[in-house]
């Protein structure tokens, strides 16, 4: 994961569980700090934007 510029979510709480995002022109990478396997999910910026829109609309 070191080749990505990771940013911690501004919604992180204190403790181990925190979402980290690394964005590029062609892809968005998402990981969660409490995940012992350090799994990285990769998607397109369009799909990630749709996810954020959906989450914002559900508030």
């Amino acid at each position: 994961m070191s080749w990505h510029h990771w940013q911690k979510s501004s919604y992180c709480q204190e403790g181990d569980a925190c979402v980290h995002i690394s964005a590029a022109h062609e892809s968005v990478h998402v990981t969660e700090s409490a995940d012992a396997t350090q799994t990285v999910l990769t998607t397109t910026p369009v799909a990630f934007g749709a996810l954020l829109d959906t989450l914002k609309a559900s508030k």
Side-chain angles (χ1 to χ4, degrees):
M1 292 191 318
S2 61
W3 67 92
H4 297 288
H5 174 71
W6 292 99
Q7 291 183 277
K8 184 168 60 169
S9 169
S10 60
Y11 289 96
C12 275
Q13 306 247 342
E14 294 294 322
D16 292 334
C18 192
V19 174
H20 296 264
I21 300 168
S22 175
H25 292 290
E26 308 85 26
S27 60
V28 176
H29 308 283
V30 182
T31 191
E32 206 265 293
S33 58
D35 179 12
T37 65
Q38 296 183 336
T39 301
V40 176
L41 303 175
T42 302
T43 189
T44 65
V46 172
F48 187 71
L51 171 65
L52 293 179
D53 290 343
T54 300
L55 293 172
K56 289 175 187 176
S58 67
K59 282 188 170 183

